[in-house]
Amino acid sequence: MSEWSITELMAVVMAREFRDGEIVVMGAVPALPMAACRLARATHAPRLEFIVGGSGTVSPEPPSLPLGSCGGDLAPAATTLPLPDVVLLEGRGDAFDVFCAGGLQIDAHGNCNLICVGSWDRPKLRGPGTVGLPFLPNTRRSILYTQSHSPRTLVERVDFVSGPGHPAGPDEARPYRKEGPSLVVTPLATFDFSSEGRMRIRTVHPGVRHDEVLAATGFEPAPGPEPGETPPPTDEELAILRSFDPAGILRR
Amino acid sequence: MSEWSITELMAVVMAREFRDGEIVVMGAVPALPMAACRLARATHAPRLEFIVGGSGTVSPEPPSLPLGSCGGDLAPAATTLPLPDVVLLEGRGDAFDVFCAGGLQIDAHGNCNLICVGSWDRPKLRGPGTVGLPFLPNTRRSILYTQSHSPRTLVERVDFVSGPGHPAGPDEARPYRKEGPSLVVTPLATFDFSSEGRMRIRTVHPGVRHDEVLAATGFEPAPGPEPGETPPPTDEELAILRSFDPAGILRR
Amino acid sequence: MRVLEAEAAVAEYYTPGSTLGVGGMQLAAAPMTLVWEVVRRRIPVGRLVTSPSASIQADLLIAAGLVSEILSPYVGFEYLGLAPAYRRAVESGDLRVLEIDEGSLTHALWAGGGGIPFVPAPPGLDLTDIPEVDPEMFRRVTDPFTGEERWAVASLRPDTVFLACAVADEAGNVAFDRFPYTDRLMALAARRVVVQVEELVPAGALSDRAPGATLPAFLVDAVVLAPGGCRPTGFPGRYAPDDEALGAYLAAARDPERLAGYLAEHGGGGER
Amino acid sequence: MRVLEAEAAVAEYYTPGSTLGVGGMQLAAAPMTLVWEVVRRRIPVGRLVTSPSASIQADLLIAAGLVSEILSPYVGFEYLGLAPAYRRAVESGDLRVLEIDEGSLTHALWAGGGGIPFVPAPPGLDLTDIPEVDPEMFRRVTDPFTGEERWAVASLRPDTVFLACAVADEAGNVAFDRFPYTDRLMALAARRVVVQVEELVPAGALSDRAPGATLPAFLVDAVVLAPGGCRPTGFPGRYAPDDEALGAYLAAARDPERLAGYLAEHGGGGER
């Protein structure tokens, strides 16, 4: 087994989650979800398509993973949508299947927050702003990820809902009856959601202990099946991943 | 003085009416207003621009006047707007200066009707539909024209307002405080509007008698200054006009 | 996206009686191959939605007696005159008209593409008689910022739209060559999109096209190869409208006795 | 349209204290030549409106202490981290934030371009805390077709927008080369448009561009020739973001004591 970085593991986990034919949208800093999409296309999901941030490019295959989401290194792509059309279609509710997103905070119900830590009018930390996260419930489902797994990032309740997750509690209907967040990927573990829409540990990454995950998580995960170990990247997955990441963006 | 057709005269009259720098929009069957715009550009209004119907082409200069408003003979133009943008900007109210339009009926206050003659639910004549005429009050002013000057076309009150003109009567504010219809050009005469927004004869075309105009007009024009004769095309105007009408569309 | 024959594409992606949108502006880019397929198979159209200015793609469906109601800002033949079947059907009361203007239709399609339920009308419409006669598309709304009342137009999502585009690549991306008209917008609003194209090119061949000049394959359900398939309308940059053939249609459509013969003759096989 | 120097274009077409829109997405196509002109002359900006994702074109104006309030879905430096001046100004209460998301901003600009007073929000926004904290941009509206209440976003017309485009021809038409982002839409909504370009070409040279890839001259008030003028952001197809220069800005902006020196050094003359 080759050595791999945590980010490579995260990309592999996300790639396995995509289904063939899905249309995926992603925002800023797209290297990780884009790598996951390309890996999925190269393996089990050849008809998956992905739209990269403000560029509007559809399934671009640049020689190296891009750092940014709007640069010239994303062109040419087979087609490109003008950004206002991407935004429009995000509201339509049946144009896109998966939204890949994250946040300064992600809470136990999969709500995301890119706006602020603390109160909105006098924040302890002002985030960049929510961009397209309010559209999260409009794709069939979403996959959340964060490079920072800590009690400050994974919280019981976000200080500001800027990207809606599952409604709290079993009685409310899920928003628009779509699936909502289906997976959360961190450097320590993966999570899915209970029938009540609360995050629970699905797998723990190789070399990480279950109690480390709990200690780094700012809420009590819902009970669920005994978490297994996240299956590490296969040599084939790693070879494919690195074929479009010659600069090693995912290994930094 | 060369011989000229009535349509050529109409084009010359409209051309003289345009001011330099104006942005003109026109719809279906654009040969006449387009000829007028090109003549204006070639004479006193070099910075005038015009947008041709559904093509969205801006000031195209094809070797021959087009019959239709959406065809390939309108390309290339220096730039082209996608039709949804033209439509959007028509609502903005300050993007375009002059709307060139007509109708099955045009009434004494410059209202246009492209929908129906008779009642709407059981029309005697169903017209094609109103297309963009509701935007007439949104350009700074409009120039109306018709190839048919008869009591059926020029009526006291349109059966259906599909393109708004001046409000009837002196007390109402003019819509959106823009100028509204400023000129009506027919095969017999030109009209402008009284301060109360009622059409009045401005000039009578060469060879046409004043009482012929009145007999062909389905309403009593507002009193005004004694109408003069429409100044006929000069040789220079005619030469320019024919330089982009080698097929003689305006002479049919 | 799949490349299909017209018959299969229409059968698979247009549900009889549902709302059908047809692209093409005036006498350009009418998707006649697909429209003839509907005529040939006598598929009823519940509601026909057109671009801001339709011609034979609407009039032919009406002439064939297939359309129950129409939402269109214009059906006519531009420099060739009025639309005979449309005129007759409306004047006789056989065709229900949802009156709409170009602006409201365009904005309604935009809203349909974005999950936006309605759009307040820009100035102009309020001074016409249009919204009063079409309570299905127009209602009064109160502007929550100013308290003013104004007209709103309902959003629009055709169940299926038929478009004619210049080119498709083998992956199913399509490109518009010159004028996108409102055809591209109609595709964003539609639930299903069937595109007839003049030409198929290899995958990747459209990668130099500008963003607003293409539709990605995931917005297109089926592509039908139909060179010349917009005739008798034209396709900008490829062929002009065939005024003689249009005249032949108009003559037939004006005379109900000749119409059946025209439909039988022209609807018998491949596109005209 | 006129070709002007940056100084004249800004002086003539931006009224101090009015609403300024700045184009460019993330680390691409920020109109820095025009923004530096505002910084250099210390022109106050009443309200700053950005594209859905701004970086240094917003943070620099805030760092210079020129901005009273901001309407923006995102100010940050993407893979380089948060926006230091924006963060500090909001956390200290010095900068008023009109909270908005990408969808609402885009639709508000669309509405501004069309004389449409507001747009009902698509699903999603109603499940966030955003509209509650921004009563200036968001109000509740009753859908006249369903009777349902939902959020509406007010339309938006920046008094002036600054954009960076690839090319202008001598007649003042401009073209976007690769990605129009929301820059093109912002121009439709603006009252005045100033465009800095990488290159000037002869009149007529843009006639082969697709409709959605250009702006006609009559929508552009002034063109400023500024090759390399988006630096330290990139211009797609011409140059990449300069991460080192961006890092130098970020280091200065994080430290108020170093900031004055940075502004003096970089604001002294032509664009960086």
Side-chain angles (χ1 to χ4, degrees), chain C residues 100-138:
Chain C
I100 199 164
D101 62 298
E102 180 176 36
S104 299
L105 175 75
T106 304
H107 298 346
L109 289 169
W110 177 85
I116 292 157
F118 65 92
V119 176
L125 183 77
D126 53 325
L127 300 172
T128 74
D129 293 330
I130 293 165
E132 296 283 1
V133 300
D134 188 358
E136 189 162 331
M137 287 303 289
F138 297 104

Short mmCIF file of all heavy atoms in Angstrom, two decimals, chain C residues 100-138:
data_model
loop_
_atom_site.label_atom_id
_atom_site.label_comp_id
_atom_site.label_asym_id
_atom_site.label_seq_id
_atom_site.Cartn_x
_atom_site.Cartn_y
_atom_site.Cartn_z
N ILE C 100 -50.08 37.01 -23.70
CA ILE C 100 -48.83 37.37 -23.01
C ILE C 100 -47.97 38.19 -23.95
O ILE C 100 -48.14 38.12 -25.17
CB ILE C 100 -48.08 36.10 -22.51
CG1 ILE C 100 -47.06 36.47 -21.42
CG2 ILE C 100 -47.41 35.37 -23.68
CD1 ILE C 100 -46.58 35.28 -20.61
N ASP C 101 -47.09 38.97 -23.40
CA ASP C 101 -46.17 39.77 -24.19
C ASP C 101 -44.77 39.18 -24.09
O ASP C 101 -44.49 38.31 -23.25
CB ASP C 101 -46.17 41.22 -23.70
CG ASP C 101 -45.70 41.32 -22.26
OD1 ASP C 101 -46.37 40.73 -21.38
OD2 ASP C 101 -44.66 41.95 -22.01
N GLU C 102 -43.90 39.67 -24.96
CA GLU C 102 -42.52 39.16 -25.02
C GLU C 102 -41.79 39.27 -23.69
O GLU C 102 -41.10 38.34 -23.26
CB GLU C 102 -41.77 39.97 -26.08
CG GLU C 102 -40.32 39.57 -26.28
CD GLU C 102 -39.68 40.35 -27.43
OE1 GLU C 102 -40.01 41.54 -27.61
OE2 GLU C 102 -38.87 39.76 -28.16
N GLY C 103 -41.93 40.41 -23.02
CA GLY C 103 -41.23 40.61 -21.76
C GLY C 103 -41.71 39.64 -20.69
O GLY C 103 -40.91 38.98 -20.02
N SER C 104 -43.00 39.53 -20.54
CA SER C 104 -43.54 38.65 -19.49
C SER C 104 -43.18 37.20 -19.77
O SER C 104 -42.84 36.45 -18.85
CB SER C 104 -45.06 38.81 -19.41
OG SER C 104 -45.39 40.14 -19.09
N LEU C 105 -43.25 36.78 -21.04
CA LEU C 105 -42.89 35.41 -21.37
C LEU C 105 -41.42 35.14 -21.05
O LEU C 105 -41.07 34.12 -20.44
CB LEU C 105 -43.14 35.14 -22.86
CG LEU C 105 -42.67 33.76 -23.33
CD1 LEU C 105 -43.61 32.67 -22.84
CD2 LEU C 105 -42.54 33.70 -24.85
N THR C 106 -40.57 36.05 -21.47
CA THR C 106 -39.13 35.86 -21.25
C THR C 106 -38.83 35.78 -19.75
O THR C 106 -38.09 34.91 -19.29
CB THR C 106 -38.35 37.02 -21.90
OG1 THR C 106 -38.71 37.07 -23.29
CG2 THR C 106 -36.86 36.82 -21.78
N HIS C 107 -39.42 36.67 -18.99
CA HIS C 107 -39.18 36.69 -17.55
C HIS C 107 -39.81 35.45 -16.87
O HIS C 107 -39.26 34.93 -15.90
CB HIS C 107 -39.71 37.97 -16.94
CG HIS C 107 -39.04 39.21 -17.49
ND1 HIS C 107 -37.87 39.16 -18.21
CD2 HIS C 107 -39.36 40.52 -17.42
CE1 HIS C 107 -37.51 40.39 -18.56
NE2 HIS C 107 -38.40 41.23 -18.10
N ALA C 108 -40.95 34.99 -17.39
CA ALA C 108 -41.60 33.80 -16.82
C ALA C 108 -40.73 32.56 -17.04
O ALA C 108 -40.65 31.69 -16.17
CB ALA C 108 -42.98 33.61 -17.45
N LEU C 109 -40.08 32.51 -18.18
CA LEU C 109 -39.17 31.38 -18.44
C LEU C 109 -37.93 31.48 -17.55
O LEU C 109 -37.46 30.47 -17.00
CB LEU C 109 -38.75 31.36 -19.92
CG LEU C 109 -39.84 30.97 -20.92
CD1 LEU C 109 -39.37 31.24 -22.35
CD2 LEU C 109 -40.22 29.50 -20.77
N TRP C 110 -37.41 32.68 -17.41
CA TRP C 110 -36.27 32.88 -16.51
C TRP C 110 -36.64 32.39 -15.11
O TRP C 110 -35.87 31.65 -14.47
CB TRP C 110 -35.89 34.37 -16.50
CG TRP C 110 -34.79 34.71 -15.55
CD1 TRP C 110 -33.45 34.61 -15.79
CD2 TRP C 110 -34.92 35.19 -14.21
NE1 TRP C 110 -32.75 35.02 -14.67
CE2 TRP C 110 -33.61 35.37 -13.69
CE3 TRP C 110 -36.01 35.50 -13.39
CZ2 TRP C 110 -33.38 35.83 -12.39
CZ3 TRP C 110 -35.78 35.95 -12.11
CH2 TRP C 110 -34.47 36.12 -11.62
N ALA C 111 -37.80 32.80 -14.64
CA ALA C 111 -38.24 32.40 -13.30
C ALA C 111 -38.41 30.88 -13.22
O ALA C 111 -38.02 30.25 -12.23
CB ALA C 111 -39.55 33.11 -12.94
N GLY C 112 -38.95 30.30 -14.28
CA GLY C 112 -39.12 28.84 -14.30
C GLY C 112 -37.80 28.12 -14.20
O GLY C 112 -37.70 27.05 -13.60
N GLY C 113 -36.77 28.70 -14.78
CA GLY C 113 -35.44 28.09 -14.72
C GLY C 113 -34.80 28.22 -13.35
O GLY C 113 -33.78 27.57 -13.09
N GLY C 114 -35.36 29.03 -12.47
CA GLY C 114 -34.71 29.32 -11.21
C GLY C 114 -35.52 29.03 -9.96
O GLY C 114 -35.14 29.47 -8.88
N GLY C 115 -36.62 28.30 -10.09
CA GLY C 115 -37.42 28.01 -8.90
C GLY C 115 -38.04 29.24 -8.29
O GLY C 115 -38.35 29.29 -7.10
N ILE C 116 -38.24 30.25 -9.13
CA ILE C 116 -38.79 31.54 -8.69
C ILE C 116 -40.25 31.56 -9.11
O ILE C 116 -40.56 31.41 -10.30
CB ILE C 116 -37.98 32.68 -9.33
CG1 ILE C 116 -36.58 32.68 -8.71
CG2 ILE C 116 -38.67 34.02 -9.17
CD1 ILE C 116 -35.53 33.33 -9.55
N PRO C 117 -41.18 31.72 -8.17
CA PRO C 117 -42.58 31.44 -8.51
C PRO C 117 -43.25 32.47 -9.42
O PRO C 117 -44.16 32.14 -10.16
CB PRO C 117 -43.28 31.40 -7.14
CG PRO C 117 -42.40 32.20 -6.23
CD PRO C 117 -41.00 32.01 -6.74
N PHE C 118 -42.80 33.71 -9.35
CA PHE C 118 -43.41 34.74 -10.19
C PHE C 118 -42.44 35.91 -10.29
O PHE C 118 -41.47 35.99 -9.53
CB PHE C 118 -44.76 35.22 -9.61
CG PHE C 118 -44.64 35.93 -8.29
CD1 PHE C 118 -44.50 37.31 -8.23
CD2 PHE C 118 -44.66 35.21 -7.09
CE1 PHE C 118 -44.38 37.97 -7.00
CE2 PHE C 118 -44.54 35.86 -5.86
CZ PHE C 118 -44.40 37.24 -5.82
N VAL C 119 -42.68 36.80 -11.22
CA VAL C 119 -41.84 37.99 -11.39
C VAL C 119 -42.75 39.21 -11.50
O VAL C 119 -43.70 39.20 -12.28
CB VAL C 119 -40.98 37.88 -12.68
CG1 VAL C 119 -40.19 39.16 -12.89
CG2 VAL C 119 -40.04 36.70 -12.59
N PRO C 120 -42.48 40.25 -10.72
CA PRO C 120 -43.24 41.48 -10.90
C PRO C 120 -42.94 42.09 -12.26
O PRO C 120 -41.78 42.11 -12.69
CB PRO C 120 -42.73 42.40 -9.77
CG PRO C 120 -41.84 41.57 -8.92
CD PRO C 120 -41.43 40.37 -9.70
N ALA C 121 -43.95 42.57 -12.94
CA ALA C 121 -43.77 43.10 -14.30
C ALA C 121 -43.09 44.45 -14.27
O ALA C 121 -43.38 45.28 -13.41
CB ALA C 121 -45.12 43.21 -15.00
N PRO C 122 -42.18 44.68 -15.22
CA PRO C 122 -41.62 46.02 -15.37
C PRO C 122 -42.69 46.98 -15.89
O PRO C 122 -43.75 46.55 -16.34
CB PRO C 122 -40.50 45.81 -16.40
CG PRO C 122 -40.85 44.57 -17.12
CD PRO C 122 -41.65 43.73 -16.19
N PRO C 123 -42.41 48.28 -15.84
CA PRO C 123 -43.38 49.26 -16.33
C PRO C 123 -43.76 49.01 -17.79
O PRO C 123 -42.95 48.53 -18.57
CB PRO C 123 -42.63 50.59 -16.21
CG PRO C 123 -41.56 50.36 -15.20
CD PRO C 123 -41.18 48.92 -15.33
N GLY C 124 -44.96 49.35 -18.15
CA GLY C 124 -45.43 49.23 -19.52
C GLY C 124 -46.66 48.34 -19.58
O GLY C 124 -47.73 48.76 -20.02
N LEU C 125 -46.51 47.12 -19.09
CA LEU C 125 -47.60 46.16 -19.14
C LEU C 125 -48.85 46.69 -18.45
O LEU C 125 -49.98 46.46 -18.91
CB LEU C 125 -47.15 44.85 -18.46
CG LEU C 125 -48.18 43.73 -18.51
CD1 LEU C 125 -48.20 43.10 -19.89
CD2 LEU C 125 -47.90 42.67 -17.45
N ASP C 126 -48.65 47.42 -17.37
CA ASP C 126 -49.79 47.93 -16.59
C ASP C 126 -50.64 48.91 -17.39
O ASP C 126 -51.78 49.17 -17.03
CB ASP C 126 -49.28 48.60 -15.30
CG ASP C 126 -48.21 49.65 -15.57
OD1 ASP C 126 -47.40 49.45 -16.50
OD2 ASP C 126 -48.17 50.65 -14.84
N LEU C 127 -50.10 49.46 -18.46
CA LEU C 127 -50.86 50.41 -19.27
C LEU C 127 -51.56 49.72 -20.43
O LEU C 127 -52.19 50.38 -21.25
CB LEU C 127 -49.93 51.51 -19.80
CG LEU C 127 -49.21 52.34 -18.72
CD1 LEU C 127 -48.18 53.25 -19.34
CD2 LEU C 127 -50.23 53.14 -17.91
N THR C 128 -51.43 48.40 -20.53
CA THR C 128 -52.08 47.65 -21.61
C THR C 128 -53.31 46.91 -21.07
O THR C 128 -53.52 46.84 -19.86
CB THR C 128 -51.14 46.61 -22.23
OG1 THR C 128 -51.00 45.50 -21.32
CG2 THR C 128 -49.77 47.19 -22.53
N ASP C 129 -54.07 46.33 -21.99
CA ASP C 129 -55.22 45.51 -21.61
C ASP C 129 -54.85 44.04 -21.41
O ASP C 129 -55.73 43.21 -21.14
CB ASP C 129 -56.31 45.61 -22.70
CG ASP C 129 -56.90 47.02 -22.80
OD1 ASP C 129 -56.94 47.71 -21.77
OD2 ASP C 129 -57.32 47.41 -23.91
N ILE C 130 -53.57 43.71 -21.57
CA ILE C 130 -53.17 42.31 -21.59
C ILE C 130 -53.41 41.58 -20.27
O ILE C 130 -54.08 40.53 -20.26
CB ILE C 130 -51.69 42.19 -22.03
CG1 ILE C 130 -51.57 42.63 -23.50
CG2 ILE C 130 -51.17 40.76 -21.86
CD1 ILE C 130 -50.16 42.90 -23.96
N PRO C 131 -52.90 42.07 -19.15
CA PRO C 131 -53.03 41.25 -17.93
C PRO C 131 -54.48 41.01 -17.52
O PRO C 131 -54.79 39.96 -16.95
CB PRO C 131 -52.25 42.05 -16.88
CG PRO C 131 -52.07 43.41 -17.43
CD PRO C 131 -52.10 43.28 -18.91
N GLU C 132 -55.36 41.96 -17.84
CA GLU C 132 -56.76 41.81 -17.46
C GLU C 132 -57.43 40.62 -18.12
O GLU C 132 -58.37 40.04 -17.57
CB GLU C 132 -57.56 43.08 -17.84
CG GLU C 132 -57.14 44.34 -17.12
CD GLU C 132 -57.67 44.40 -15.68
OE1 GLU C 132 -58.36 43.46 -15.24
OE2 GLU C 132 -57.37 45.41 -15.01
N VAL C 133 -56.97 40.26 -19.33
CA VAL C 133 -57.64 39.15 -20.04
C VAL C 133 -56.95 37.82 -19.78
O VAL C 133 -57.35 36.80 -20.32
CB VAL C 133 -57.73 39.41 -21.57
CG1 VAL C 133 -58.52 40.68 -21.85
CG2 VAL C 133 -56.35 39.46 -22.23
N ASP C 134 -55.88 37.80 -18.97
CA ASP C 134 -55.17 36.54 -18.72
C ASP C 134 -54.89 36.34 -17.23
O ASP C 134 -53.75 36.42 -16.78
CB ASP C 134 -53.86 36.52 -19.52
CG ASP C 134 -53.18 35.15 -19.44
OD1 ASP C 134 -53.71 34.25 -18.74
OD2 ASP C 134 -52.12 34.99 -20.08
N PRO C 135 -55.96 36.06 -16.48
CA PRO C 135 -55.77 35.91 -15.02
C PRO C 135 -54.97 34.68 -14.64
O PRO C 135 -54.53 34.56 -13.51
CB PRO C 135 -57.21 35.82 -14.49
CG PRO C 135 -58.05 35.44 -15.66
CD PRO C 135 -57.36 35.97 -16.89
N GLU C 136 -54.76 33.78 -15.60
CA GLU C 136 -53.96 32.61 -15.26
C GLU C 136 -52.48 32.97 -15.15
O GLU C 136 -51.76 32.46 -14.30
CB GLU C 136 -54.17 31.51 -16.31
CG GLU C 136 -53.54 30.21 -15.88
CD GLU C 136 -54.09 29.01 -16.65
OE1 GLU C 136 -55.27 29.04 -17.10
OE2 GLU C 136 -53.33 28.04 -16.81
N MET C 137 -52.02 33.87 -16.01
CA MET C 137 -50.60 34.25 -16.00
C MET C 137 -50.34 35.52 -15.19
O MET C 137 -49.21 35.77 -14.79
CB MET C 137 -50.09 34.44 -17.43
CG MET C 137 -49.92 33.15 -18.22
SD MET C 137 -48.79 31.95 -17.42
CE MET C 137 -47.19 32.74 -17.66
N PHE C 138 -51.37 36.36 -15.01
CA PHE C 138 -51.13 37.66 -14.37
C PHE C 138 -52.01 37.86 -13.15
O PHE C 138 -53.23 37.65 -13.22
CB PHE C 138 -51.39 38.81 -15.37
CG PHE C 138 -50.46 38.80 -16.56
CD1 PHE C 138 -50.89 38.36 -17.80
CD2 PHE C 138 -49.15 39.23 -16.42
CE1 PHE C 138 -50.04 38.36 -18.90
CE2 PHE C 138 -48.29 39.22 -17.52
CZ PHE C 138 -48.73 38.78 -18.76
#
